[in-house]
Amino acid sequence: MQGNLTTPIPARKAQLLKRLGELGARLEAIEEELDSHQNRDWEELATEREGDEVLEATGNAGKAEITQIRAALDRIAAGTYGECVRCGEPIAEARLDALPWTPLCRRCAA
């Protein structure tokens, strides 16, 4: 399947690896921020906690994306990248441009 894509696989792989690095750095910054909240003033603690919830949600989304990117890299290694894992049909290039880690074609993702 990899040969039918307009964007070369090495370029897709580089894009995925770059995003993986960005997410890793972001998660590290989130962890540092969460660890830095040691304020004992109740009002400031409440405000920090609201911010922490947003950071935790962002971190969880990042972790999920990392899992998806690693799976896409595994599909590249296996030679099945760009092929829907559910139906086996090709994933549209435009969909891969928007979500390079997607394992599903548009029809199966719906």
Side-chain angles (χ1 to χ4, degrees), residues 3-21:
N4 295 337
L5 296 175
T6 305
T7 302
I9 292 299
R12 290 280 186 203
K13 184 176 180 178
Q15 178 186 23
L16 290 165
L17 290 171
K18 179 182 177 194
R19 181 66 179 153
L20 197 58

